[in-house]
């Protein structure tokens, strides 16, 4: 990538070697922030490498140094922090931070890790290097996909304009909700890559996917609800590249990336010999899976020809008797990261929140300036633009955009008029980033 190379090989090796797990009370601390910045650099470099098709050194380093389990532990730890500590932090009467961007970085940490995992899990050796933590990662993905289905049943992901929050903390809570939707979509891609390795997964992992969570039926629900698609103003929109984009009539029959991920995951789980031997096709599962026949149109089969095999499987399934639920006693491994973290911190959520209030999320003005300078060095705009999948689009009208919001530098517009019209919606997202800028 020439002058856009973010890390030299030796630098990447040092950053990967230094990855470690942090306790929940340490999130947002100086050492934690340094690792978050390192992860962002590794993340951007991994995307640059994949885009340039020049090998995958970040993926190779993570496997060589055995750091995939570390990333899974950190992913689940920050998920737990968001569920258990963040709500307590928001409810503390004496918590009125002058700047919410340090907290936003912790909230964003989960998105950073799942994005890196999505990039590297394309390679099967990464799945193998996850070792026992693959069970925890499967559970994590199941939680996120369940969230997607639940959101689709309540009108989809929350919209920024639906509420008029006034305080920075309330706006931050809204941003956390919006971020969950994107994280769940990334988890869907990671799960699909795990199913690519279904023939080499342990029996415990297969049992977890097929019996405990019944992922095939959950994936059918996702296809039915398609939470990444919606009708807005009579036009079809799909969520791609971090935003809702209007789909032109000529493109509406084209299979979206996310729909494709679901179909491939279903294909892997239902047609793999090992998975088929262990999946109990009860009457409920049979009824759910047969719903897929309505989706298997000629247009879809033209785009994913392998689904003809799935179509044949469903035709055979329709003629077979459902199986009774299995009652075998099976000794198997179970995920332990979430349970261990909860056991270690149970009853300490308020103490952790108060500790972080005093020592982490109430920085001095000088500390904010220093951190803001580090953020600016980490999030280089030239690199961010290079890893963007396409020409920036106007946030209001979706036309090609050349102007960026001068306040937060995150949103794009084709004209001043569109920026003004979009301001009521964009100001909620603009506030945390603008606060970080002012700290400089």
């Amino acid at each position: 990538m020439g002058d856009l190379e973010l890390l030299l090989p030796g630098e990447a090796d040092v950053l990967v070697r230094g990855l470690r797990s942090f306790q929940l009370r340490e999130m947002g601390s100086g050492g934690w922030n340094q690792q978050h910045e390192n992860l962002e650099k590794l993340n951007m470099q991994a995307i640059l490498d994949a885009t340039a098709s020049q090998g995958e050194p970040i993926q190779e380093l993570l496997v060589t140094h055995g750091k995939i389990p570390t990333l899974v532990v950190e992913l689940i730890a920050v998920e737990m922090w968001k569920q258990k500590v963040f709500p307590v932090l928001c409810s503390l009467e004496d918590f009125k931070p002058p700047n919410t961007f340090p907290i936003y970085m912790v909230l964003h940490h989960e998105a950073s890790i799942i994005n890196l995992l999505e990039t590297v899990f394309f390679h099967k050796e990464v799945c193998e290097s996850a070792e026992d933590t693959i069970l925890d990662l499967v559970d994590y993905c199941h939680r996120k996909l369940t969230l997607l289905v639940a959101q689709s049943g309540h009108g989809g992901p929350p919209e920024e304009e639906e509420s008029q929050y006034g305080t920075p903390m309330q706006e931050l809570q809204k941003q956390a909700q919006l971020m969950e939707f994107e994280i769940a979509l990334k988890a869907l891609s990671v799960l699909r890559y795990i199913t690519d390795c279904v023939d080499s997964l342990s029996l415990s992992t297969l049992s977890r996917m097929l019996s405990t969570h019944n992922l095939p039926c959950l994936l059918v629900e996702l296809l039915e609800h398609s939470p990444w698609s919606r009708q807005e103003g009579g036009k079809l929109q799909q969520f791609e590249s971090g935003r809702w984009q209007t789909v032109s009539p000529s493109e509406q029959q084209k299979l979206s990336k996310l729909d494709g991920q679901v179909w491939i995951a279903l294909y892997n789980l239902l047609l793999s010999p090992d998975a088929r031997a262990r999946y109990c096709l009860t009457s409920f599962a049979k009824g759910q899976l047969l719903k897929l026949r309505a989706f298997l149109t000629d247009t879809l089969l033209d785009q994913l020809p392998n689904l003809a095999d799935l179509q044949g499987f469903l035709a055979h399934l329709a003629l077979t008797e459902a199986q009774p639920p299995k009652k075998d006693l099976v000794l198997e491994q179970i995920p332990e990261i979430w349970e261990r973290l909860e056991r270690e911190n149970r009853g300490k959520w308020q103490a952790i929140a108060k500790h972080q209030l005093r020592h982490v999320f109430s920085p001095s003005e000088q500390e904010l300036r220093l951190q803001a300078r580090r953020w600016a060095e980490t999030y280089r705009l030239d690199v961010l633009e290079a890893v963007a999948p396409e020409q920036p689009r106007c946030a209001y009208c979706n036309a090609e955009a050349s102007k960026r919001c001068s306040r937060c530098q995150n949103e794009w517009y084709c004209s001043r008029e569109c920026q003004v019209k979009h301001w009521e919606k964009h100001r909620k997202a603009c506030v945390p980033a603008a606060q970080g800028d002012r700290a400089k």
Side-chain angles (χ1 to χ4, degrees), residues 77-246:
V78 74
E79 180 196 20
M80 179 169 286
W81 184 92
K82 288 168 67 173
Q83 288 189 25
K84 304 290 189 178
V85 180
F86 181 54
V88 176
L89 198 61
C90 294
S91 67
L92 295 177
E93 293 183 3
D94 53 344
F95 186 51
K96 298 176 182 178
N99 190 297
T100 58
F101 208 65
I103 310 173
Y104 177 83
M105 298 308 291
V106 179
L107 294 172
H108 188 262
H109 192 61
E110 184 181 2
S112 300
I113 298 176
I114 194 65
N115 193 71
L116 179 57
L117 290 177
E118 181 193 29
T119 303
V120 301
F121 254 79
F122 177 79
H123 305 274
K124 291 188 177 182
E125 59 267 27
V126 174
C127 185
E128 294 169 0
S129 74
E131 300 176 344
D132 292 344
T133 62
I134 198 70
L135 279 164
D136 299 272
L137 189 55
V138 166
D139 266 31
Y140 172 87
C141 293
H142 175 259
R143 290 193 292 271
K144 297 304 178 182
L145 298 194
T146 303
L147 174 68
L148 270 184
V149 172
Q151 282 187 340
S152 63
H154 293 84
E159 294 285 354
E160 293 180 44
E161 67 267 25
E162 284 180 357
S163 56
Q164 298 295 322
Y165 290 136
T167 69
M169 280 304 297
Q170 288 172 324
E171 290 165 359
L172 190 63
Q173 288 174 290
K174 186 66 174 180
Q175 286 301 307
Q177 290 179 334
L178 293 169
M179 204 183 301
E180 276 297 312
F181 179 67
E182 295 189 55
I183 289 171
L185 298 183
K186 298 288 185 182
L188 171 59
S189 295
V190 171
L191 180 68
R192 173 258 150 129
Y193 293 136
I194 293 175
T195 67
D196 285 345
C197 307
V198 69
D199 290 330
S200 60
L201 295 175
S202 68
L203 295 182
S204 295
T205 306
L206 272 179
S207 176
R208 197 79 182 168
M209 297 171 75
L210 298 171
S211 301
T212 306
H213 297 317
N214 200 347
L215 286 178
C217 288
L218 181 59
L219 292 169
V220 172
E221 286 194 72
L222 278 176
L223 277 180
E224 283 188 295
H225 293 96
S226 190
W228 44 84
S229 300
R230 70 182 186 184
Q231 291 288 333
E232 189 75 13
K235 297 181 178 180
L236 176 65
Q237 291 187 335
Q238 291 180 343
F239 195 86
E240 294 181 7
S241 305
R243 69 174 73 241
W244 288 102
Q245 300 187 27
T246 300

Side-chain angles (χ1 to χ4, degrees), residues 207-391:
S207 176
R208 197 79 182 168
M209 297 171 75
L210 298 171
S211 301
T212 306
H213 297 317
N214 200 347
L215 286 178
C217 288
L218 181 59
L219 292 169
V220 172
E221 286 194 72
L222 278 176
L223 277 180
E224 283 188 295
H225 293 96
S226 190
W228 44 84
S229 300
R230 70 182 186 184
Q231 291 288 333
E232 189 75 13
K235 297 181 178 180
L236 176 65
Q237 291 187 335
Q238 291 180 343
F239 195 86
E240 294 181 7
S241 305
R243 69 174 73 241
W244 288 102
Q245 300 187 27
T246 300
V247 182
S248 65
S250 62
E251 295 287 313
Q252 290 185 9
Q253 294 299 314
K254 185 177 179 180
L255 185 69
S256 73
K257 176 185 175 182
L258 290 164
D259 282 303
Q261 299 283 44
V262 178
W263 280 112
I264 295 171
L266 279 166
Y267 179 92
N268 291 336
L269 290 174
L270 295 176
L271 296 186
S272 159
D274 287 346
R276 285 180 65 175
R278 299 200 164 271
Y279 188 42
C280 184
L281 286 164
T282 62
S283 57
F284 171 77
K286 178 180 175 179
Q288 287 293 101
L289 294 177
L290 289 180
K291 293 178 181 179
L292 294 172
R293 292 187 296 178
F295 296 94
L296 287 166
T297 62
D298 291 340
T299 303
L300 176 60
L301 292 174
D302 286 342
Q303 297 175 72
L304 281 178
N306 285 352
L307 293 184
D309 295 334
L310 180 58
Q311 191 177 46
F313 166 78
L314 295 172
H316 176 73
L317 177 63
L319 301 175
T320 59
E321 293 291 329
Q323 303 171 12
K326 293 182 179 179
K327 298 181 179 180
D328 298 338
L329 178 62
V330 180
L331 297 178
E332 60 183 37
Q333 290 177 284
I334 60 172
E336 61 88 26
I337 297 174
W338 178 278
E339 184 178 341
R340 174 176 58 79
L341 289 171
E342 192 168 39
R343 183 174 62 250
E344 291 173 354
N345 296 282
R346 188 177 294 122
K348 302 177 183 177
W349 312 120
Q350 189 165 28
I352 293 172
K354 289 183 176 180
H355 167 81
Q356 293 181 325
L357 165 62
R358 292 191 300 270
H359 302 289
V360 178
F361 297 131
S362 298
S364 66
E365 187 175 342
Q366 183 180 6
E367 289 172 330
L368 276 175
R369 286 199 191 97
L370 290 172
Q371 189 60 60
R373 192 174 299 119
R374 295 173 68 98
W375 289 329
E377 293 171 356
T378 299
Y379 297 101
R380 283 174 45 189
L381 294 181
D382 57 343
V383 176
L384 293 175
E385 290 170 13
V387 301
E390 57 184 20
Q391 175 72 23

Side-chain angles (χ1 to χ4, degrees), residues 21 62 66-74 129-133 337:
S21 300
L62 289 170
K67 294 298 183 179
I68 296 298
T70 303
L71 291 178
V72 176
V73 172
E74 278 294 278
S129 74
E131 300 176 344
D132 292 344
T133 62
I337 297 174

